[in-house]
mmCIF file with all atom_site columns, all heavy atoms in Angstrom:
data_model
loop_
_atom_site.group_PDB
_atom_site.id
_atom_site.type_symbol
_atom_site.label_atom_id
_atom_site.label_alt_id
_atom_site.label_comp_id
_atom_site.label_asym_id
_atom_site.label_entity_id
_atom_site.label_seq_id
_atom_site.pdbx_PDB_ins_code
_atom_site.Cartn_x
_atom_site.Cartn_y
_atom_site.Cartn_z
_atom_site.occupancy
_atom_site.B_iso_or_equiv
_atom_site.pdbx_formal_charge
_atom_site.auth_seq_id
_atom_site.auth_comp_id
_atom_site.auth_asym_id
_atom_site.auth_atom_id
_atom_site.pdbx_PDB_model_num
ATOM   1  N N   . CYS O 1 12  ? -9.148 -4.655 -5.502  1.00 83.00 ? 37  CYS O N   1
ATOM   2  C CA  . CYS O 1 12  ? -7.688 -4.739 -5.584  1.00 83.00 ? 37  CYS O CA  1
ATOM   3  C C   . CYS O 1 12  ? -7.072 -4.366 -4.239  1.00 83.00 ? 37  CYS O C   1
ATOM   4  O O   . CYS O 1 12  ? -6.164 -5.022 -3.756  1.00 83.00 ? 37  CYS O O   1
ATOM   5  C CB  . CYS O 1 12  ? -7.201 -3.714 -6.602  1.00 83.00 ? 37  CYS O CB  1
ATOM   6  S SG  . CYS O 1 12  ? -6.420 -4.426 -8.006  1.00 83.00 ? 37  CYS O SG  1
ATOM   7  N N   . TYR O 1 203 ? 4.923  -1.526 2.226   1.00 97.00 ? 228 TYR O N   1
ATOM   8  C CA  . TYR O 1 203 ? 6.241  -1.017 1.831   1.00 97.00 ? 228 TYR O CA  1
ATOM   9  C C   . TYR O 1 203 ? 6.736  0.095  2.753   1.00 97.00 ? 228 TYR O C   1
ATOM   10 O O   . TYR O 1 203 ? 7.919  0.436  2.730   1.00 97.00 ? 228 TYR O O   1
ATOM   11 C CB  . TYR O 1 203 ? 6.229  -0.544 0.362   1.00 97.00 ? 228 TYR O CB  1
ATOM   12 C CG  . TYR O 1 203 ? 5.826  -1.634 -0.610  1.00 97.00 ? 228 TYR O CG  1
ATOM   13 C CD1 . TYR O 1 203 ? 5.233  -1.337 -1.828  1.00 97.00 ? 228 TYR O CD1 1
ATOM   14 C CD2 . TYR O 1 203 ? 6.033  -2.979 -0.307  1.00 97.00 ? 228 TYR O CD2 1
ATOM   15 C CE1 . TYR O 1 203 ? 4.851  -2.339 -2.709  1.00 97.00 ? 228 TYR O CE1 1
ATOM   16 C CE2 . TYR O 1 203 ? 5.648  -3.987 -1.178  1.00 97.00 ? 228 TYR O CE2 1
ATOM   17 C CZ  . TYR O 1 203 ? 5.054  -3.669 -2.370  1.00 97.00 ? 228 TYR O CZ  1
ATOM   18 O OH  . TYR O 1 203 ? 4.680  -4.648 -3.239  1.00 97.00 ? 228 TYR O OH  1
ATOM   19 N N   . SER O 1 257 ? 11.932 -3.506 -5.105  1.00 98.00 ? 282 SER O N   1
ATOM   20 C CA  . SER O 1 257 ? 11.491 -2.140 -4.826  1.00 98.00 ? 282 SER O CA  1
ATOM   21 C C   . SER O 1 257 ? 12.016 -1.719 -3.471  1.00 98.00 ? 282 SER O C   1
ATOM   22 O O   . SER O 1 257 ? 11.846 -2.438 -2.488  1.00 98.00 ? 282 SER O O   1
ATOM   23 C CB  . SER O 1 257 ? 9.964  -2.054 -4.810  1.00 98.00 ? 282 SER O CB  1
ATOM   24 O OG  . SER O 1 257 ? 9.475  -2.166 -6.119  1.00 98.00 ? 282 SER O OG  1
ATOM   25 N N   . HIS O 1 273 ? 14.425 -3.447 -12.111 1.00 98.00 ? 298 HIS O N   1
ATOM   26 C CA  . HIS O 1 273 ? 14.006 -4.545 -13.000 1.00 98.00 ? 298 HIS O CA  1
ATOM   27 C C   . HIS O 1 273 ? 15.224 -5.308 -13.498 1.00 98.00 ? 298 HIS O C   1
ATOM   28 O O   . HIS O 1 273 ? 16.279 -4.726 -13.695 1.00 98.00 ? 298 HIS O O   1
ATOM   29 C CB  . HIS O 1 273 ? 13.320 -3.989 -14.260 1.00 98.00 ? 298 HIS O CB  1
ATOM   30 C CG  . HIS O 1 273 ? 11.996 -3.364 -14.000 1.00 98.00 ? 298 HIS O CG  1
ATOM   31 N ND1 . HIS O 1 273 ? 11.352 -2.602 -14.946 1.00 98.00 ? 298 HIS O ND1 1
ATOM   32 C CD2 . HIS O 1 273 ? 11.185 -3.384 -12.917 1.00 98.00 ? 298 HIS O CD2 1
ATOM   33 C CE1 . HIS O 1 273 ? 10.195 -2.188 -14.458 1.00 98.00 ? 298 HIS O CE1 1
ATOM   34 N NE2 . HIS O 1 273 ? 10.087 -2.639 -13.224 1.00 98.00 ? 298 HIS O NE2 1
HETATM 35 C C1  . LIG R 2 .   ? 3.046  -4.456 -6.422  1.00 71.22 ? 11  LIG R C1  1
HETATM 36 N N1  . LIG R 2 .   ? 3.261  -2.988 -8.432  1.00 71.22 ? 11  LIG R N1  1
HETATM 37 C C2  . LIG R 2 .   ? 3.748  -3.567 -7.290  1.00 71.22 ? 11  LIG R C2  1
HETATM 38 C C3  . LIG R 2 .   ? 5.099  -3.152 -7.078  1.00 71.22 ? 11  LIG R C3  1
HETATM 39 C C4  . LIG R 2 .   ? 5.416  -2.306 -8.116  1.00 71.22 ? 11  LIG R C4  1
HETATM 40 C C5  . LIG R 2 .   ? 4.286  -2.235 -8.970  1.00 71.22 ? 11  LIG R C5  1
HETATM 41 C C6  . LIG R 2 .   ? 6.746  -1.590 -8.246  1.00 71.22 ? 11  LIG R C6  1
HETATM 42 C C7  . LIG R 2 .   ? 6.015  -3.531 -5.931  1.00 71.22 ? 11  LIG R C7  1
HETATM 43 C C8  . LIG R 2 .   ? 6.603  -4.902 -6.123  1.00 71.22 ? 11  LIG R C8  1
HETATM 44 C C9  . LIG R 2 .   ? 7.725  -4.949 -7.121  1.00 71.22 ? 11  LIG R C9  1
HETATM 45 O O1  . LIG R 2 .   ? 8.760  -4.329 -6.916  1.00 71.22 ? 11  LIG R O1  1
HETATM 46 O O2  . LIG R 2 .   ? 7.563  -5.634 -8.161  1.00 71.22 ? 11  LIG R O2  1
HETATM 47 C C10 . LIG R 2 .   ? 4.130  -1.502 -10.172 1.00 71.22 ? 11  LIG R C10 1
HETATM 48 N N2  . LIG R 2 .   ? 6.327  -1.604 -11.231 1.00 71.22 ? 11  LIG R N2  1
HETATM 49 C C11 . LIG R 2 .   ? 5.187  -0.973 -10.918 1.00 71.22 ? 11  LIG R C11 1
HETATM 50 C C12 . LIG R 2 .   ? 5.254  0.358  -11.407 1.00 71.22 ? 11  LIG R C12 1
HETATM 51 C C13 . LIG R 2 .   ? 6.455  0.495  -12.010 1.00 71.22 ? 11  LIG R C13 1
HETATM 52 C C14 . LIG R 2 .   ? 7.136  -0.752 -11.898 1.00 71.22 ? 11  LIG R C14 1
HETATM 53 C C15 . LIG R 2 .   ? 4.198  1.376  -11.300 1.00 71.22 ? 11  LIG R C15 1
HETATM 54 O O3  . LIG R 2 .   ? 8.261  -0.999 -12.340 1.00 71.22 ? 11  LIG R O3  1
HETATM 55 C C16 . LIG R 2 .   ? 6.943  1.710  -12.658 1.00 71.22 ? 11  LIG R C16 1
HETATM 56 C C17 . LIG R 2 .   ? 8.184  1.964  -12.889 1.00 71.22 ? 11  LIG R C17 1
HETATM 57 N N3  . LIG R 2 .   ? -1.375 -4.438 -10.021 1.00 71.22 ? 11  LIG R N3  1
HETATM 58 C C18 . LIG R 2 .   ? -2.194 -4.042 -11.046 1.00 71.22 ? 11  LIG R C18 1
HETATM 59 C C19 . LIG R 2 .   ? -3.560 -4.247 -10.641 1.00 71.22 ? 11  LIG R C19 1
HETATM 60 C C20 . LIG R 2 .   ? -3.523 -4.775 -9.373  1.00 71.22 ? 11  LIG R C20 1
HETATM 61 C C21 . LIG R 2 .   ? -2.130 -4.897 -8.979  1.00 71.22 ? 11  LIG R C21 1
HETATM 62 C C22 . LIG R 2 .   ? -4.747 -3.923 -11.491 1.00 71.22 ? 11  LIG R C22 1
HETATM 63 O O4  . LIG R 2 .   ? -1.838 -3.587 -12.110 1.00 71.22 ? 11  LIG R O4  1
HETATM 64 C C23 . LIG R 2 .   ? -4.628 -5.184 -8.482  1.00 71.22 ? 11  LIG R C23 1
HETATM 65 C C24 . LIG R 2 .   ? -5.684 -5.908 -8.848  1.00 71.22 ? 11  LIG R C24 1
HETATM 66 C C25 . LIG R 2 .   ? -1.696 -5.430 -7.739  1.00 71.22 ? 11  LIG R C25 1
HETATM 67 N N4  . LIG R 2 .   ? 0.744  -4.695 -7.452  1.00 71.22 ? 11  LIG R N4  1
HETATM 68 C C26 . LIG R 2 .   ? -0.391 -5.371 -7.113  1.00 71.22 ? 11  LIG R C26 1
HETATM 69 C C27 . LIG R 2 .   ? -0.141 -6.053 -5.857  1.00 71.22 ? 11  LIG R C27 1
HETATM 70 C C28 . LIG R 2 .   ? 1.168  -5.777 -5.487  1.00 71.22 ? 11  LIG R C28 1
HETATM 71 C C29 . LIG R 2 .   ? 1.715  -4.921 -6.503  1.00 71.22 ? 11  LIG R C29 1
HETATM 72 C C30 . LIG R 2 .   ? -1.162 -6.893 -5.105  1.00 71.22 ? 11  LIG R C30 1
HETATM 73 C C31 . LIG R 2 .   ? 1.899  -6.258 -4.242  1.00 71.22 ? 11  LIG R C31 1
HETATM 74 C C32 . LIG R 2 .   ? 2.895  -7.327 -4.519  1.00 71.22 ? 11  LIG R C32 1
HETATM 75 C C33 . LIG R 2 .   ? 3.511  -7.817 -3.228  1.00 71.22 ? 11  LIG R C33 1
HETATM 76 O O5  . LIG R 2 .   ? 4.307  -7.115 -2.583  1.00 71.22 ? 11  LIG R O5  1
HETATM 77 O O6  . LIG R 2 .   ? 3.178  -8.941 -2.854  1.00 71.22 ? 11  LIG R O6  1
#
Side-chain angles (χ1 to χ4, degrees):
C37 244
Y228 302 153
S282 288
H298 291 168

